[in-house]
Amino acid sequence: MLANRVTLIYVLLMTGVVVASNVLVQYPLSGELFGIALGDLLTYGAFTYPVAFLITDLTNRQFGPRVARRVVAAGFLVAVLFSIGASTPRIAIASGSAFLAGQLLDISVFNRLRRQTWWRAPLIASLIGSVLDTAIFFSFSFAPAFSIFGPNDVFAIEWAPVLGVFTTEMPRWISWAMGDLSVKVVVGLVMLLPYGALMSRLMPMPGVEKAA
């Protein structure tokens, strides 16, 4: 019963992060950093979304990959439903696909590294998952090669200076992806703090590490 209650808490936390991120993604960041206009690259959702990896990793640590996949499945359903109601079908496909692939990869990598130094599994798993998540989301959303999912965004595929400051030019969506991934890396490092703080309280259930 305790395990079911804790799992439910993880599910609620995951859905909360997904909903918050989908809302905050509509609000661009303000200000500049090293001459880069942050609002042209980032939204506030970029800072909340990586918390999903923390929730997945804590679930995986405590209950193993099978339960972690259930929590991810709940987040996936919320992501798809929310995206369908709030955005275009192409963005909905990109959002759901990126979330599912990134989180499942995180679970797999974490599971392989769980017996190593405490920080390696959550850090490496979240970073690798973030790379895949970012690549799928921005490619599916904006790359002309994936126009099968919906019409291209003309502004996104126009060429412009990388990050808005360099002389080299690329389609804008690539700069958006670079900015988004940079934030995920930083937040992934920061998330080691709550993960480390909760390790002693959220011990693996009996048999979890052996089964994994």
Side-chain angles (χ1 to χ4, degrees):
M1 294 298 292
L2 176 60
N4 290 336
R5 288 199 297 269
V6 175
T7 301
L8 178 60
I9 291 173
Y10 283 131
V11 169
L12 293 176
L13 289 172
M14 179 66 82
T15 55
V17 168
V18 170
V19 170
S21 299
N22 277 277
V23 171
L24 293 173
V25 77
Q26 303 173 54
Y27 298 95
L29 219 60
S30 58
E32 292 188 359
L33 182 65
F34 305 120
I36 300 173
L38 298 178
D40 293 339
L41 299 173
L42 296 169
T43 69
Y44 285 98
F47 293 86
T48 57
Y49 182 81
V51 179
F53 288 102
L54 171 65
I55 296 169
T56 299
D57 291 343
L58 288 173
T59 309
N60 201 350
R61 169 181 166 77
Q62 192 171 9
F63 296 110
R66 186 167 60 90
V67 174
R69 292 188 189 101
R70 292 179 184 174
V71 173
V72 166
F76 170 74
L77 291 175
V78 172
V80 171
L81 293 174
F82 198 99
S83 297
I84 290 174
S87 59
T88 65
R90 182 168 181 174
I91 296 297
I93 292 171
S95 177
S97 300
F99 177 86
L100 188 61
Q103 295 294 325
L104 291 179
L105 180 58
D106 175 278
I107 292 171
S108 178
V109 173
F110 184 100
N111 218 38
R112 288 178 177 273
L113 302 177
R114 67 188 307 141
R115 296 182 181 87
Q116 298 185 16
T117 306
W118 74 268
W119 56 266
R120 287 188 178 179
L123 180 60
I124 296 176
S126 64
L127 293 183
I128 293 177
S130 293
V131 169
L132 181 62
D133 177 284
T134 301
I136 290 178
F137 177 77
F138 284 94
S139 296
F140 282 16
S141 295
F142 305 114
F146 294 99
S147 59
I148 187 174
F149 296 142
N152 291 320
D153 182 325
V154 176
F155 183 76
I157 62 178
E158 285 180 348
W159 284 56
V162 174
L163 300 178
V165 295
F166 295 100
T167 56
T168 303
E169 293 192 350
M170 290 183 177
R172 285 191 179 90
W173 68 267
I174 295 180
S175 289
W176 299 344
M178 292 170 61
D180 184 82
L181 182 59
S182 298
V183 171
K184 287 176 180 174
V185 170
V186 172
V187 177
L189 289 168
V190 174
M191 288 298 101
L192 285 178
L193 297 176
Y195 181 90
L198 291 169
M199 282 184 62
S200 60
R201 291 181 173 272
L202 304 177
M203 299 298 293
M205 298 291 288
V208 165
E209 292 190 340
K210 183 178 180 179

